[in-house]
Amino acid sequence: MSALTRLPHILLVAVLAVIGAACGGSAAESGGDGTLAGRASPDTTVFYKTIGEPEQLDPGFVMESEGGEVLATTFERLLNFNPEDMTLEPGVATSWTVSDDGLTYTFRLRPDAKWSDGVAITAHDFEYSWLRALAPETGSEVASLLWKIEGAEAYTKSTPENRAAAREAVAIEAANDSTFRVRLVHPVAYFDRYAAFAQLSPVPRHVIEEHGDQWSRPENMVSNGPWTVTEWATQQRIVAERNPYYWNAEAIPFDRVEYLIAQANMAQWNMFEAGQVDILNRVPQTFIPRLRREQPPAFHEGPFLATYFYMFNVDEPPVDDVRVRQALNLAVDKSKIGTFVLKGGQDPGAGPTHPLLADMGYTPPEAPAFDPQQARTLLAEAGYPGGEGFPPLKISYNTLESHKAVAEFVQQEWSKNLGINVELENMEWKVFLDANREGDFQIARRGWTPGILDPKELLDIWKGDEPVNVSGWANARFDELLEESDRTVDQEARLELLAEAERVWLEDAPGITLYYYRQHNMVQPWVDGFAENMLAAYPTRHFSIRTTAPALASQ
Amino acid sequence: MFRYILKRLVSSVLVLVIIVTASFFIMRVAPGGPFDTERSMPEEVLQNIQAKYNLDKPLWQQYLLQMKSIMLEGDFGPSMKYPNKSVNDILAEGLPVSMTLGVQSLVVALLIGLPAGLIAALKQNQWADYTAMTGAMVGISIPNFVLGPILIALFAIELPWFAAAGWNSLSAGLVPYLQTSVLPSLALGSAYAAYVARLTRGGMLEITRQDYIQTARAKGLREWLIVRRHALRGALIPVVSYLGPAFAGMLTGSIVIEQIFNIPGLGSHFVNSAFNRDYPLVLGTIVLYSGLLVVLNLVVDIAYTVLDPRVSYEDA
């Protein structure tokens, strides 16, 4: 209560403080010259970042990007990826080999890897952690990431009666303390990329056995990354302190990493502008054109490995007719989305894969270009010349300003080019997911972030039995081609099979790829080590704060 | 008086039970569930999760279980969105912040509103009156989601005196606390200050025309003494009756301010828990807010008896 009675007093002090500050002289200028002026904290041993509220910090469960960001800082996987060139580097594993048939991956673990409480990390920790993620009792979404391992899917889907045998059959094995081995269902050329996923970090068995579900609360947390979470104040901050037992402790640039939690983009932006955070990964959409013009050194943009598309419900007329679907696809000038609608410079959508795949030698089949004339012809063939007699059609999307803008643009294009009127319907996220699952939609907005640069990861979601695919579209030829690619070890042949599958998709058009995502970041002038990458993943250990004095001329 | 309070408390509990029951069932009617995701989970996994939260039981059984743990143990159970935190933890973290912000905004409202209203009434139809009332009109008209960003732009970014966002509790020290709390409480309190000013002015004008004030004037008392001893008490009754709903409005309405200033109060849980279908957290925030409203109304009713001797609950 004393705080309450003191409040009028406190306010008076506040008013005086304001007056005092007003008389105190000019405010700090922004650090455009590359100095620390403008940074809210002078302490360069702390790195500040802003994120949304994570759901939890148990690697066995985290599927959203916020939690993933904290995991990337506080846990270490078998392998790390280099943000500059996306190559894999040793993490807890020093080396790894693949058997000739492409099925068995063997990881050699470093002997000096330790948990933040000093306990050594062995291959048994990984065995325990991956099996834990798979266990049906755990009930984790992470499980499906590991289903490429022999016996893994069967274990997750096992019943209490056959569970023990199913667990025995999973091909995850610690051969000894320093050798970890998994065998896959079929060759996956990029399985080592999975080994760098934050969700597949090891979890400390000895701590979980002591604290149960509560082990990942900050007071119990033990992790194996450069930093360990020591504080989590809901909606305020997550603090991670240096892990003294980290095997590469000398290479760690900061004593502490502070995540300032902010849900709203605007609040995050304000923190960046006030110099409270060193980097901002979520730039408000409407600011982008201005920032691109005015802030070239701080503003960074580039492609992001994610697709934005509309999914048709192919059981619902009129989009059960492939000619209608193709007409709708041909009638949208997707190049306008990045320039006039979202203004973020997003690349126009074509097929279901991503243009960045060219980097790994993938050549997608040519996707049909914007062609309103051809679209009208197709629509007429389907029985709706000039859009006449076209049945009611609705685009459903989850409530968000940018989804609305895109939907309105598509609505306009179809009205202009095909003479049809479609309705727009926004739904709150959970209602939207429910409608999707029930097949209660005609056209639904979706997006996909594969996290690994391989066409397979983007095509897989369209398989007939894939839970993400709620379109009702199941094409035997498409599924067959994907399965054949799984059996194919030769990379070139494999990519050709995938391109063929993509061609099948394009012919049947169960969806319209509208655009490929782009990322926009703001980096403070005093931050070194920002290297843009297609996964928009920026490990904190690669950053540093420049403390050197500015050039004489600018003083 | 004691019997009156007791009676009110008993009826409040009934009100709360009705609110909880209604919210429990309305919430379940909404489509979608807490564990819906874009990549739907295998049925086997989903069943395990639902069993963990009793969601596999029939609805009436879930209701009884929930009611039992709320009524008997005061425990709302674990959050479904933040599985490491209990709803009680989350509320305990957010409530002090929301309360502090609410109280401070109330103080802002009174510190600005009362003097402005008094001056306006005493200098009726003079420039001071016009200035204060114009100011009040402006204060009422500018919504807090406009005022908030303006304050941030001026006093956090142009002149970096205050934090643009975030929250430091008083235990972090007075200066850090003020750096994060002054702007939001100004943004939240100013509209209420405007109302308070108008109510104070109206109350004063009415009272100063009463006979007993005329008598006091005739006795030759000095004006400020009349105001302090005789007029103010009566004039404040409308203000006091406004304060209850105002404080409640500040607590529940702080969601916008909490978003803009990124304050870790209860407001965002109130809204987001419903979006996330985090059933236990929805119930927790509803019970807490309705409990606060019930108590605040009671406090206001009791305050009347202190201010106006004509009001009494003895025979009620």
Side-chain angles (χ1 to χ4, degrees):
Chain A
M1 265 298 120
S2 67
L4 285 186
T5 49
R6 279 209 312 270
L7 269 170
H9 208 103
I10 289 167
L11 272 171
L12 182 68
V13 175
V15 172
L16 291 179
V18 169
I19 296 168
C23 304
S26 73
E29 289 297 310
S30 91
D33 54 358
T35 70
L36 278 177
R39 194 175 192 258
S41 163
D43 187 351
T44 57
T45 63
V46 188
F47 191 76
Y48 295 91
K49 239 183 136 160
T50 170
I51 57 170
E53 180 91 31
E55 290 173 11
Q56 58 172 327
L57 300 176
D58 181 335
F61 288 91
V62 172
M63 281 305 272
E64 27 91 57
S65 57
E66 314 296 349
E69 159 71 38
V70 179
L71 290 190
T73 302
T74 56
F75 281 85
E76 187 165 66
R77 279 72 48 194
L78 286 166
L79 305 174
N80 292 324
F81 77 90
N82 183 323
E84 262 172 72
D85 55 11
M86 305 298 297
T87 53
L88 290 171
E89 292 173 344
V92 178
T94 48
S95 67
W96 63 105
T97 52
V98 195
S99 62
D100 290 340
D101 59 3
L103 286 177
T104 306
Y105 276 76
T106 308
F107 299 90
R108 300 253 168 241
L109 272 56
R110 62 179 69 250
D112 53 347
K114 286 194 175 72
W115 293 106
S116 56
D117 57 1
V119 174
I121 298 173
T122 68
H124 298 281
D125 285 302
F126 279 91
E127 186 191 60
Y128 168 79
S129 308
W130 290 20
L131 283 173
R132 173 177 178 265
L134 284 171
E137 301 91 336
T138 311
S140 169
E141 254 189 289
V142 171
S144 60
L145 288 179
L146 290 166
W147 285 353
K148 292 191 163 62
I149 296 172
E150 203 179 278
E153 185 168 355
Y155 176 40
T156 306
K157 295 182 173 174
S158 63
T159 57
E161 296 78 53
N162 63 11
R163 191 157 300 159
R167 185 186 168 94
E168 257 336 284
V170 180
I172 296 176
E173 173 204 25
N176 53 47
D177 279 358
S178 62
T179 312
F180 180 62
R181 190 175 295 141
V182 295
R183 197 169 59 251
L184 308 180
V185 180
H186 55 74
V188 181
Y190 48 87
F191 185 78
D192 47 2
R193 294 258 153 208
Y194 277 97
F197 270 14
Q199 292 88 350
L200 301 184
S201 305
V203 290
R205 180 179 199 160
H206 59 289
V207 181
I208 298 176
E209 278 167 358
E210 189 184 341
H211 296 288
D213 278 354
Q214 303 296 304
W215 78 271
S216 62
R217 287 174 64 98
E219 63 269 25
N220 306 329
M221 174 64 93
V222 167
S223 66
N224 70 328
W227 297 274
T228 303
V229 170
T230 53
E231 185 196 335
W232 180 0
T234 310
Q235 294 186 69
Q236 295 185 64
R237 64 178 65 80
I238 292 177
V239 178
E241 301 274 354
R242 185 189 282 273
N243 167 10
Y245 293 102
Y246 181 61
W247 62 272
N248 197 10
E250 312 85 73
I252 297 313
F254 306 106
D255 289 340
R256 201 162 80 225
V257 181
E258 273 197 35
Y259 289 102
L260 307 183
I261 300 174
Q263 224 57 270
N265 282 358
M266 226 17 236
Q268 292 202 353
W269 169 262
N270 286 336
M271 285 185 194
F272 180 86
E273 210 171 25
Q276 286 172 282
V277 293
D278 295 313
I279 178 169
L280 178 74
N281 301 124
R282 263 204 260 154
V283 178
Q285 190 87 37
T286 46
F287 287 15
I288 290 168
R290 180 174 65 85
L291 293 174
R292 191 182 284 142
R293 250 188 349 261
E294 295 170 7
Q295 302 268 1
F299 179 74
H300 297 260
E301 64 177 322
F304 174 50
L305 187 60
T307 58
Y308 185 104
F309 55 91
Y310 281 173
M311 188 181 267
F312 291 115
N313 183 346
V314 300
D315 298 326
E316 281 279 311
V319 291
D320 56 343
D321 187 329
V322 65
R323 290 167 299 188
V324 173
R325 298 200 296 268
Q326 281 169 342
L328 292 173
N329 182 28
L330 289 170
V332 180
D333 183 359
K334 293 156 194 159
S335 66
K336 286 192 177 133
I337 297 174
T339 34
F340 300 115
V341 183
L342 296 175
K343 298 180 182 145
Q346 289 86 353
D347 284 323
T353 56
H354 197 288
L356 281 169
L357 291 164
D359 292 2
M360 49 104 49
Y362 178 71
T363 322
E366 202 181 326
F370 172 60
D371 187 347
Q373 187 57 47
Q374 172 69 9
R376 279 190 287 272
T377 313
L378 279 166
L379 201 66
E381 277 174 27
Y384 314 107
E388 235 170 89
F390 196 73
L393 185 60
K394 199 154 57 177
I395 302 175
S396 308
Y397 57 95
N398 56 304
T399 310
L400 192 76
E401 209 46 50
S402 57
H403 296 336
K404 185 174 167 221
V406 172
E408 280 171 351
F409 166 73
V410 172
Q411 181 188 40
Q412 214 179 73
E413 288 282 286
W414 287 346
S415 155
K416 193 175 70 189
N417 298 326
L418 296 175
I420 59 171
N421 287 312
V422 296
E423 259 182 86
L424 305 185
E425 179 184 38
N426 67 310
M427 291 184 235
E428 183 242 312
W429 179 237
K430 295 280 183 180
V431 180
F432 177 72
L433 288 178
D434 198 56
N436 271 216
R437 204 184 44 226
E438 302 291 324
D440 186 13
F441 70 97
Q442 289 175 298
I443 302 175
R445 175 217 78 84
R446 295 308 280 265
W448 199 248
T449 313
I452 286 180
L453 188 68
D454 196 282
K456 181 82 180 359
E457 293 287 309
L458 278 154
L459 293 170
D460 263 347
I461 59 169
W462 293 97
K463 279 201 304 208
D465 59 354
E466 165 63 47
V468 179
N469 178 9
V470 293
S471 69
W473 182 75
N475 184 303
R477 172 95 184 111
F478 180 84
D479 290 1
E480 223 174 78
L481 284 163
L482 290 191
E483 270 161 43
E484 201 183 333
S485 83
D486 282 342
R487 292 189 298 266
T488 310
V489 184
D490 179 62
Q491 175 76 343
E492 213 170 302
R494 191 177 73 89
L495 291 181
E496 257 165 46
L497 287 165
L498 293 172
E500 183 54 33
E502 182 167 353
R503 192 169 298 123
V504 172
W505 188 95
L506 286 169
E507 268 165 28
D508 252 14
I512 301 180
T513 307
L514 286 166
Y515 68 86
Y516 302 108
Y517 277 83
R518 213 168 158 76
Q519 54 174 318
H520 305 90
N521 303 293
M522 290 291 286
V523 183
Q524 298 282 16
W526 52 80
V527 173
D528 266 340
F530 176 80
E532 199 166 86
N533 61 62
M534 64 175 84
L535 297 182
Y538 301 104
T540 309
R541 63 174 190 279
H542 289 268
F543 290 116
S544 60
I545 302 287
R546 205 179 306 129
T547 50
T548 49
L552 281 174
S554 66
Q555 277 205 320
Chain B
M1 188 70 177
F2 179 72
R3 274 190 52 194
Y4 171 76
I5 295 178
L6 202 70
K7 238 162 122 183
R8 283 282 298 262
L9 285 177
V10 171
S11 67
S12 318
V13 172
L14 268 175
V15 167
L16 286 180
V17 169
I18 295 173
I19 292 176
V20 173
T21 310
S23 352
F24 181 90
F25 288 103
I26 292 174
M27 198 161 62
R28 297 308 177 91
V29 173
F35 305 111
D36 278 347
T37 53
E38 216 168 352
R39 167 180 252 164
S40 34
M41 281 185 250
E43 200 48 43
E44 298 79 3
V45 175
L46 203 59
Q47 275 167 12
N48 277 308
I49 299 180
Q50 292 190 321
K52 199 155 133 191
Y53 293 96
N54 288 329
L55 291 174
D56 54 340
K57 297 195 169 64
L59 199 56
W60 63 269
Q61 223 172 351
Q62 292 182 40
Y63 170 72
L64 290 182
L65 279 171
Q66 181 98 49
M67 271 313 231
K68 193 179 129 207
S69 98
I70 293 178
M71 299 302 254
L72 299 183
E73 293 149 44
D75 183 5
F76 290 96
S79 155
M80 293 175 179
K81 174 83 173 169
Y82 308 107
N84 265 343
K85 299 186 178 188
S86 72
V87 170
N88 293 36
D89 282 350
I90 294 177
L91 297 182
E93 273 186 282
L95 184 64
V97 177
S98 282
M99 288 294 267
T100 314
L101 179 63
V103 169
Q104 193 169 320
S105 307
L106 196 67
V107 171
V108 166
L110 290 176
L111 275 186
I112 300 175
L114 282 181
L118 273 180
I119 292 168
L122 296 177
K123 309 277 179 197
Q124 196 194 357
N125 296 335
Q126 297 172 30
W127 68 266
D129 182 17
Y130 295 133
T131 316
M133 284 307 108
T134 311
M137 211 55 223
V138 172
I140 290 173
S141 311
I142 299 183
N144 55 19
F145 59 82
V146 173
L147 188 59
I150 292 177
L151 289 176
I152 292 177
L154 287 179
F155 300 110
I157 290 168
E158 276 307 308
L159 306 163
W161 300 339
F162 296 100
W167 183 261
N168 293 313
S169 66
L170 202 52
S171 59
L174 187 61
V175 173
Y177 164 73
L178 289 174
Q179 269 178 344
T180 52
S181 69
V182 168
L183 295 186
S185 48
L186 271 177
L188 187 55
S190 67
Y192 295 94
Y195 278 105
V196 168
R198 291 184 65 87
L199 287 172
T200 310
R201 178 176 180 270
M204 275 304 283
L205 288 179
E206 197 194 317
I207 293 290
T208 47
R209 296 204 179 96
Q210 300 277 331
D211 289 346
Y212 69 95
I213 300 291
Q214 301 299 330
T215 312
R217 287 223 172 94
K219 281 196 298 188
L221 285 182
R222 257 169 303 196
E223 191 64 21
W224 67 268
L225 208 63
I226 298 174
V227 171
R228 218 189 62 186
R229 285 265 176 83
H230 301 284
L232 207 51
R233 262 187 146 194
L236 285 186
I237 288 181
V239 177
V240 170
S241 57
Y242 173 66
L243 287 185
F247 189 58
M250 284 178 195
L251 285 179
T252 52
S254 63
I255 164 78
V256 178
I257 291 296
E258 286 183 14
Q259 288 270 342
I260 294 172
F261 289 94
N262 201 41
I263 292 169
L266 286 176
S268 56
H269 293 310
F270 195 38
V271 176
N272 289 332
S273 60
F275 283 139
N276 296 331
R277 304 287 188 276
D278 192 341
Y279 301 137
L281 189 53
V282 173
L283 277 192
T285 42
I286 287 180
V287 169
L288 192 63
Y289 273 133
S290 26
L292 281 171
L293 278 176
V294 167
V295 170
L296 284 172
N297 280 328
L298 181 59
V299 170
V300 168
D301 287 345
I302 294 169
Y304 284 148
T305 62
V306 179
L307 284 172
D308 190 341
R310 286 170 302 180
V311 180
S312 158
Y313 299 121
E314 287 311 328
D315 47 351

